[in-house]
Amino acid sequence: MKTYLLSGVAALGLIAAGAASAADLPSRKGPVVAPVYVPAFTWTGFYVGANAGWGFGNMKSRGVNAFGDLDGFVGGGQIGYNYQLGQVVLGVEADFQGADLKAGPSFAGLGIVGEGKTEWFGTVRGRVGFAFDRFLPYVTGGLAYGSVKTTLAPGVTINGLNSDDNTHTGWTVGAGVEYAITNNLVAGVEYLYVDLGDKKVFNGADKVSTDFSLVRARLSYKF
């Protein structure tokens, strides 16, 4: 009887020792890793797209040729890149527009009746936005450039010229909103104010300045 009792005690000791050794072994589950937040959509990436809208403003002359309100259709394309940091989205964009912006004379001074128009323009701008997932309001601004053509009445010349076509440079500022319809397709609406500055025309006989506002719808493909 004593022998059986001693054997039972020894067996219990071996079981307890084995359990203690197993508790000392390293866990096979590995370290616990905190979950990382991944946004449902990111604005980071290159994009290209097209736009169309309406421009309205002024073309002014300081000399013998005078113009008035400027308005007309505009349409073109844009290319750019965005980088998202948290909810802040930083970007750069360039666009080029065909335009039918025309201004007639505000008066027929000295019988010199003419037309002014901008047939194309472009901008290179920075953008700063604040993302609400797929919704992005932003502000933008930068360099603007474009054509300004001044035409006199048929048969009228100044310094031997009936028309003068020049490239003007200036600045632009504006704001817009975009919404990512899918992970690749982004739609938006944008307002820009464009000031192409002033420049001498007709070999220095006159000076013409052009500025206009632009409202356009845009659609881009994000890579």
Side-chain angles (χ1 to χ4, degrees):
M1 183 67 178
K2 188 181 291 185
T3 301
Y4 290 131
L5 185 58
L6 291 174
S7 297
V9 171
L12 289 173
L14 290 173
I15 293 171
S21 298
D24 292 336
L25 292 175
S27 173
R28 295 182 180 179
K29 294 182 179 179
V32 177
V33 179
V36 178
Y37 172 73
V38 179
F41 175 79
T42 177
W43 289 91
T44 297
F46 288 96
Y47 61 89
V48 296
N51 64 78
W54 191 262
F56 50 94
N58 297 281
M59 182 176 288
K60 300 175 183 178
S61 169
R62 298 185 181 181
V64 295
N65 198 27
F67 303 97
D69 295 337
L70 180 82
D71 61 4
F73 172 82
V74 297
Q78 67 270 357
I79 182 171
Y81 179 79
N82 288 322
Y83 185 75
Q84 184 167 351
L85 296 167
Q87 285 184 271
V88 177
V89 179
L90 305 176
V92 61
E93 179 176 295
D95 67 89
F96 188 83
Q97 309 292 126
D100 188 30
L101 299 172
K102 295 180 180 180
S106 58
F107 64 87
L110 302 179
I112 302 175
V113 180
E115 179 186 66
K117 60 183 177 180
T118 292
E119 296 178 319
W120 59 266
F121 68 94
T123 70
V124 179
R125 295 170 284 109
R127 305 200 323 166
V128 180
F130 195 81
F132 299 90
D133 193 18
R134 293 177 175 269
F135 180 72
L136 179 68
Y138 63 89
V139 294
T140 183
L143 170 73
Y145 60 95
S147 73
V148 177
K149 186 175 183 179
T150 306
T151 303
L152 305 178
V156 177
T157 62
I158 298 178
N159 287 334
L161 298 174
N162 176 258
S163 66
D164 200 354
D165 194 352
N166 295 277
T167 299
H168 291 211
T169 58
W171 55 274
T172 181
V173 66
V177 291
E178 288 187 316
Y179 181 76
I181 302 171
T182 70
N183 287 345
N184 301 108
L185 197 61
V186 178
V189 178
E190 186 174 62
Y191 166 82
L192 291 179
Y193 172 77
V194 179
D195 189 335
L196 295 178
D198 53 26
K199 196 166 187 176
K200 291 182 178 180
V201 295
F202 299 109
N203 295 323
D206 200 356
K207 183 178 285 189
V208 173
S209 63
T210 303
D211 65 277
F212 54 89
S213 292
L214 168 67
V215 179
R216 61 187 179 184
R218 42 188 286 146
L219 188 66
S220 299
Y221 183 86
K222 174 183 170 296
F223 294 96

